[in-house]
Amino acid sequence: MPTITIDGKSVEVEKGTTLLAAAQKLGVYIPRYCYHPKLSVSGNCRMCLVEVEKAPKLVTACSTEAAEGMIVRTASDKVKAARRDVLEYLLINHPLDCPICDQAGECGLQDYYMEYSLARSRFKMADKARRQKRRAVGPHLVLDNERCILCTRCVRFCSEVTRTSELEVMERADHSYIDLKEGKALDNGYSLNIADNCPVGAFTSRDFRFKQRVWFLKKTPTVCLGCATGCLMEAHHNENTIYRLMPSPNAETNTWLCDHGRLTYKAVRAGDRLTKGVIKNGLIDLEPALREAGARIDEARGAVAVLGSPWLSVEDNAALARLAKDSVKTENYCFDFASEPGIKDGILINKDPAPNTSGTGLVKTAHGGLSLEELSRRIAAGQIKVVLAEARAAGLLKDTLKAAAPLLVIFAANKGEIPAGTYATLPYASYFETPGTFVNYQGLRRRTAPPVEAPEGVKPLWAVVNKLAAYSGASLQLDSAEDALKGIVFK
Amino acid sequence: MENILFKDNVAEIEAYFAGGGYKPLKKALGLKPADVIDEVKRSNLRGRGGAGFPAGLKWSFISKDAEGPRYLVCNADEGEPGTFKDRELIRKNPHALIEGMAIAAYAIGAGHGYIYIRGEFAAEAELLEKAIAAARAKGFIGKNILGSGFNFELFTHRGAGAYICGEETALLESLEGFKGQPRLKPPFPAIKGLFGCPTVINNVETLAAVPAIIEKGGDWYAAIGNGKSAGTKLFCVSGAVSKPGVYELPLGVTFRELLEKSCGGMKAGKRLKAVLPGGSSTPALTAEEALAVKLDYESLAAAGSMLGSGAVIVIDDSQCMVKLLQVLSRFYHHESCGQCTPCREGCGWIEKILNRFEEGRAGRNDIDTLYSVAEGMMGRTICPLADAMAMPVMSFVKKFRAEFEAHADGKTCAKAP
């Protein structure tokens, strides 16, 4: 365990720790572009040069390992001069198009220029190297080679994380540029991470481009519900609109976010978002829709089936269980969703596409119920007259439902989810609009935090269930999501 | 004194053998590898590619305990402008290189060797192939060499034209089939080199000196030359001299002697203005400095320059230093691999400033900008290519500032044809 001194402060670090990591431990920030904690070290940007006593030259903090007794200076005149010079070199051929650049406000060049340079330009405008601008590379990204500082984070991401190696540095010297390899497209399912990793505005997200200046964005930490992995992320939003989702790197689950998960917020403001109830194909207000659905359930009672959903929160599933047991008083309910969880692509995407299979299991433990096979059998046998289910969970029994054709009462947030032949559809608030507890495939309990409000008249699912109970049986008297959780034990 | 490297009529293996060739290999194979390394250490043989690192010391960095294969690589990617010694050496004395490699491989325990030869040297690559085949036929290369149980296979690999592949780790990248870009060090090649295995990389001239050292002893070699700069060196002289060419002389020879005795003095009617003593990337010396200097590692360092590859570029007073630097900068701009920021951007910037001088668009403040751009590149990159651009720029501006000022004031090059 070598002990080293950085800017007069001494620190003991594990063998193999780099100067950059050691400095971080002391709270000393060393500027960097090419360094990324989850990618290999390339040492090309030269921004992290620091002075080590007795070393003949400045060394890169990202690649130099701490050795016993090292005396490191990160703010000496030599280091400051090196940073100023490196920034000048990086900026001479940069287009300085910050006013029309999406990266402005969170740009490594802008930030470090303010912090470490503030020098006037000595480079003749006419001498600037010109490169290709704004070119779509793949479904999610635009590449502007003029803004690129050739740190190769994108190249390393594609070769080391996704192992798809779409990108390469072409040519040499100041005519170098990042490009797709022959015949490749940047569609590896994780491509938007490249826009995050790009320290400048070279790679920008086609989805986010020109939508919002980053300094207006507010950040709400939440959970991705794109699959059972349950990645931590941040929703960036302003004036009740989400503009993008960004990963919140954490040791337990994720550094990155997949493209699918990152675009899950689109459903919130999609054209088919449900803000009213649907009876057959006609839109009606929630209240009459509830009354109609409630009446049908009330008629059938013992022949009603309630199906929970691994796409819903623990609270909402618990409310459904309470509805079946305490209000409708049917024994035909099911919270049994088997899955074989595990990362399927070696990165983040889970074999289980539902975010809360584990959480639904907790509801089953507390409330019991039928197995999915048994429920399916009863539906097929014609014992069930009305099925109340969340849209995607209903999809799991698609063929049985089609064949037996019971009356379908479906919870759906978007019209596109509604299964064919549905009688009544009830809208509910998405988890970008209401909090909910989810348990990911690792058994980690995570809560969504709502960055935006639900459209007027749209309620959280537990609240819709609470109202439905009043029309279909005994009242549940749920005042909050937590009320539904009675009897549920989290591990 | 007698030449060690440049011998006549030894290109064919029979002639080389008749002159005592491959006896040093036999002798080496009778020694312990560590003793071979000690002999080379004692000789004070230093790297002839430019950096001057002690060869024996480099060999000793290969750990005896390292598992898996080790490699020996000969750097024959002679690309430094003004340098043409290795090509001559391969033409004249290929078996000295092959024998030197076999001895070095034995010393470090390498079973395979590669000669990475500059792509343009097609004829020399072919010549080497033939020489290796001849050596293999005689049992000097291959399995169980001279009955010793030592196996060594030797291959040539032609480069594809990048100057940067003369930098040893870029060479390894290229040899492995990747884009030639220097690697971040550490780890150094002795720990993690070719294909991730311990590797020694030596210049052609360094390896070719090894057989003589083994034959006559390290002490004999160390006595030649000038103290720490031991042995002979191939000086390749170009420019305004009567007889440009490659000359083998003991290190420590004066520039004056090289110019006047070997090269027959300056070309008729030309006066010496400046010398780049070790290739295009070494700091320039003025005529006065050059005429007072000895050509060896220490003396040239003391004079503010470097022995480099021994490429002595002689500049006469009809040459424009600004124009010359512009030509050099175009080369380095073209050859920068583009990996590190200071080199990638700085080399291009320097060329653009020099273009302005030559086109009459520069002002006096551009002289200081030029200098500071070069200064900002020095010692801040992965490999020394940035330094190789910066050193001539800084020395030209320091020592020939008046010519830059004349360009800025007169808006023209006074020496333009």
Side-chain angles (χ1 to χ4, degrees):
Chain A
M1 297 267 285
T3 300
I4 63 168
T5 309
I6 300 177
D7 296 344
K9 288 179 269 187
S10 148
V11 64
E12 193 181 354
V13 291
E14 297 273 337
K15 195 176 179 293
T17 305
T18 62
L19 299 184
L20 192 141
Q24 207 138 309
K25 212 174 156 186
L26 282 172
V28 175
Y29 182 81
I30 297 172
R32 77 296 290 266
Y33 287 115
C34 66
Y35 170 81
H36 188 287
K38 295 288 175 179
L39 300 175
S40 67
V41 169
S42 68
N44 63 43
C45 76
R46 317 309 283 177
M47 195 63 207
C48 71
L49 289 172
V50 294
E51 194 176 346
V52 172
E53 211 170 273
K54 293 193 186 110
K57 298 178 192 174
L58 300 180
V59 302
T60 43
C62 68
S63 67
T64 306
E65 287 181 12
E68 184 56 41
M70 248 184 197
I71 296 170
V72 183
R73 289 186 199 92
T74 76
S76 65
D77 289 344
K78 263 191 191 174
V79 173
K80 284 180 182 166
R83 288 174 185 169
R84 211 167 39 237
D85 289 345
V86 168
L87 274 167
E88 185 174 30
Y89 295 128
L90 286 174
L91 284 166
I92 57 171
N93 285 312
H94 188 80
L96 301 175
D97 54 353
C98 312
I100 56 151
C101 178
D102 263 305
Q103 193 78 5
E106 53 182 12
C107 173
L109 285 172
Q110 288 182 330
D111 293 349
Y112 288 173
Y113 175 79
M114 298 304 289
E115 183 84 29
Y116 305 111
S117 171
L118 290 176
R120 287 184 67 84
S121 175
R122 298 188 291 169
F123 194 73
K124 298 281 185 281
M125 203 58 191
D127 282 346
K128 277 196 191 277
R130 300 305 304 266
R131 300 196 187 108
Q132 201 171 12
K133 287 188 80 71
R134 57 176 179 283
R135 184 162 59 106
V137 280
H140 301 303
L141 295 171
V142 171
L143 171 60
D144 184 324
N145 280 114
E146 279 196 346
R147 293 176 185 159
C148 175
I149 59 167
L150 292 156
C151 70
T152 70
R153 276 190 188 183
C154 54
V155 176
R156 284 174 284 144
F157 178 84
C158 289
S159 71
E160 295 164 18
V161 178
T162 61
R163 296 172 186 269
T164 43
S165 302
E166 295 95 335
L167 295 171
E168 191 54 271
V169 182
M170 305 296 174
E171 275 290 348
R172 296 191 304 201
D174 60 5
H175 32 276
S176 309
Y177 61 97
I178 302 285
D179 202 356
L180 290 168
K181 284 186 192 164
E182 188 88 26
K184 294 256 188 187
L186 208 45
D187 54 358
N188 56 40
Y190 290 86
S191 62
L192 280 165
N193 293 293
I194 294 168
D196 304 348
N197 283 345
C198 182
V200 299
F203 277 103
T204 47
S205 156
R206 289 174 78 176
D207 178 46
F208 179 66
R209 243 166 104 81
F210 306 135
K211 296 278 166 45
Q212 190 76 187
R213 278 307 195 182
V214 298
W215 49 87
F216 293 129
L217 294 173
K218 293 150 197 84
K219 299 169 182 178
T220 303
T222 186
V223 189
C224 178
L225 306 181
C227 71
T229 305
C231 294
L232 296 182
M233 65 179 186
E234 256 179 5
H236 291 190
H237 55 99
N238 183 33
E239 294 180 336
N240 210 31
T241 303
I242 302 170
Y243 287 97
R244 62 178 181 185
L245 302 177
M246 303 279 278
S248 302
N250 60 95
E252 294 76 29
T253 313
N254 65 303
T255 300
W256 324 106
L257 212 54
C258 73
D259 291 344
H260 164 72
R262 201 186 283 259
L263 296 175
T264 48
Y265 82 93
K266 302 291 265 188
V268 175
R269 288 290 168 91
D272 70 342
R273 180 68 199 277
L274 281 172
T275 56
K276 291 187 165 201
V278 185
I279 300 294
K280 291 183 183 162
N281 283 322
L283 287 171
I284 60 168
D285 286 342
L286 181 61
E287 212 59 36
L290 279 168
R291 205 182 308 133
E292 175 61 20
R296 298 287 153 257
I297 291 169
D298 194 23
E299 278 166 22
R301 285 289 179 140
V304 170
V306 176
L307 180 63
S309 170
W311 280 273
L312 297 176
S313 68
V314 177
E315 292 85 347
D316 290 346
N317 272 297
L320 283 168
R322 294 280 306 279
L323 177 78
K325 276 173 76 177
D326 304 339
S327 176
V328 181
K329 299 189 168 50
T330 172
E331 59 170 34
N332 301 313
Y333 59 90
C334 166
F335 293 87
D336 171 54
F337 299 96
S339 79
E340 202 192 319
I343 303 296
K344 95 176 152 189
D345 60 355
I347 310 172
L348 287 176
I349 298 173
N350 212 289
K351 283 186 258 182
D352 181 357
N356 205 20
T357 304
S358 308
T360 321
L362 301 177
V363 178
K364 186 188 163 199
T365 306
H367 294 289
L370 306 175
S371 71
L372 196 60
E373 292 73 35
E374 176 58 18
L375 181 71
S376 178
R377 196 193 61 72
R378 289 188 187 184
I379 295 170
Q383 291 167 255
I384 306 295
K385 299 281 177 268
V386 177
V387 172
L388 177 65
E390 184 272 333
R392 284 160 292 182
L396 300 172
L397 298 174
K398 204 164 104 190
D399 296 336
T400 316
L401 292 173
K402 201 175 167 191
L407 192 84
L408 275 181
V409 178
I410 293 293
F411 288 102
N414 292 73
K415 228 174 176 172
E417 299 174 348
I418 306 173
T422 298
Y423 176 72
T425 306
L426 303 171
Y428 67 97
S430 108
Y431 296 104
F432 287 108
E433 297 158 344
T434 186
T437 306
F438 289 79
V439 182
N440 83 346
Y441 80 114
Q442 299 160 303
L444 297 170
R445 184 173 156 189
R446 287 174 168 177
R447 234 171 124 65
T448 62
V452 292
E453 286 168 12
E456 205 182 330
V458 176
K459 304 259 174 290
L461 191 132
W462 65 267
V464 181
V465 167
N466 191 42
K467 275 177 172 277
L468 187 62
Y471 290 114
S472 59
S475 175
L476 291 172
Q477 291 175 340
L478 300 175
D479 288 331
S480 68
E482 285 66 33
D483 275 359
L485 288 177
K486 212 174 81 185
I488 309 261
V489 183
F490 287 100
K491 277 164 213 148
Chain B
M1 67 159 290
E2 202 188 331
N3 282 353
I4 298 171
L5 303 168
F6 261 24
K7 295 189 173 165
D8 291 323
N9 306 319
V10 293
E12 297 300 328
I13 194 161
E14 283 76 16
Y16 183 75
F17 193 66
Y22 287 108
K23 278 187 189 131
L25 174 61
K26 193 169 169 80
K27 183 177 171 188
L29 292 174
L31 300 170
K32 289 199 187 97
D35 295 337
V36 176
I37 293 177
D38 282 345
E39 202 62 52
V40 174
K41 273 188 182 167
R42 230 187 333 272
S43 75
N44 278 341
L45 173 65
R46 289 164 69 176
R48 302 293 195 233
F53 194 82
L57 189 60
K58 201 179 210 180
W59 294 6
S60 70
F61 289 155
I62 301 286
S63 165
K64 283 172 207 67
D65 310 322
E67 282 184 25
R70 298 129 187 235
Y71 293 98
L72 174 68
V73 176
C74 169
N75 185 347
D77 191 46
E78 185 172 54
E80 176 81 2
T83 312
F84 42 88
K85 64 182 180 70
D86 293 339
R87 182 173 58 177
E88 280 304 301
L89 182 52
I90 290 167
R91 282 180 187 164
K92 275 184 184 294
N93 200 356
H95 288 284
L97 171 61
I98 295 166
E99 185 178 12
M101 286 191 77
I103 295 169
Y106 174 71
I108 63 167
H112 290 86
Y114 292 91
I115 301 173
Y116 185 98
I117 186 164
R118 179 173 168 168
E120 288 89 337
F121 295 174
E124 288 74 17
E126 202 175 310
L127 188 155
L128 270 176
E129 288 280 1
K130 281 186 187 148
I132 292 168
R136 186 177 284 117
K138 297 251 182 214
F140 301 132
I141 296 292
K143 292 217 182 315
N144 191 19
I145 295 171
L146 303 173
S148 64
F150 172 63
N151 306 322
F152 179 59
E153 288 298 336
L154 182 58
F155 308 96
T156 59
H157 181 97
R158 282 176 66 193
Y163 170 67
I164 193 61
C165 290
E167 194 278 342
E168 60 181 19
T169 57
L171 184 154
L172 295 179
E173 285 284 299
S174 172
L175 196 51
E176 288 183 18
F178 298 106
K179 182 177 182 177
Q181 283 192 331
R183 294 176 181 171
L184 208 52
K185 287 154 285 216
F188 289 94
I191 309 295
K192 217 175 155 203
L194 187 62
F195 305 119
C197 298
T199 302
V200 163
I201 304 147
N202 283 139
N203 176 254
V204 175
E205 190 184 344
T206 317
L207 288 163
V210 170
I213 290 168
I214 296 301
E215 185 194 351
K216 299 183 181 166
D219 294 332
W220 163 81
Y221 192 82
I224 305 165
N226 189 15
K228 282 188 191 168
S229 295
T232 61
K233 175 83 191 80
L234 299 179
F235 293 99
C236 21
V237 188
S238 59
V241 298
S242 295
K243 292 190 289 175
V246 188
Y247 300 96
E248 182 176 359
L249 293 165
L251 281 164
V253 67
T254 62
F255 169 73
R256 186 184 285 275
E257 195 183 328
L258 175 70
L259 175 67
E260 289 171 0
K261 280 198 182 159
S262 303
C263 300
M266 295 295 289
K267 252 186 203 163
K270 303 286 189 189
R271 272 190 50 216
L272 179 67
K273 179 158 85 174
V275 176
L276 298 176
S280 64
S281 56
T282 54
L285 299 175
T286 62
E288 298 72 46
E289 288 168 335
L291 289 168
V293 82
K294 283 183 177 174
L295 300 175
D296 62 62
Y297 297 104
E298 287 74 27
S299 306
L300 278 162
S305 189
M306 290 162 73
L307 179 67
S309 60
V312 182
I313 301 170
V314 179
I315 300 158
D316 70 81
D317 65 355
S318 69
Q319 299 292 314
C320 167
M321 296 306 275
V322 181
K323 177 76 191 167
L324 220 147
L325 193 59
Q326 183 202 21
V327 172
L328 275 185
S329 72
R330 191 182 309 145
F331 174 79
Y332 287 105
H333 177 199
H334 183 69
E335 296 294 349
S336 165
C337 86
Q339 195 176 193
C340 308
T341 306
C343 179
R344 178 182 69 235
E345 304 296 338
C347 288
W349 193 357
I350 284 171
E351 194 204 338
K352 284 168 181 171
I353 296 173
L354 287 164
N355 288 346
R356 285 214 303 281
F357 274 102
E358 280 301 298
E359 291 158 14
R361 296 186 286 121
R364 279 204 173 203
N365 60 339
D366 286 311
I367 303 174
D368 294 329
T369 305
L370 181 63
Y371 189 89
S372 73
V373 171
E375 201 176 26
M377 294 161 63
M378 277 293 287
R380 290 176 178 169
T381 48
I382 292 175
C383 87
L385 195 144
D387 299 4
M389 170 82 274
M391 287 189 293
V393 170
M394 290 161 76
S395 67
F396 276 46
V397 171
K398 249 193 232 162
K399 294 177 180 172
F400 303 96
R401 193 179 178 97
E403 292 190 34
F404 290 86
E405 288 173 351
H407 279 69
D409 298 345
K411 300 293 176 199
T412 174
C413 176
K415 295 208 165 70

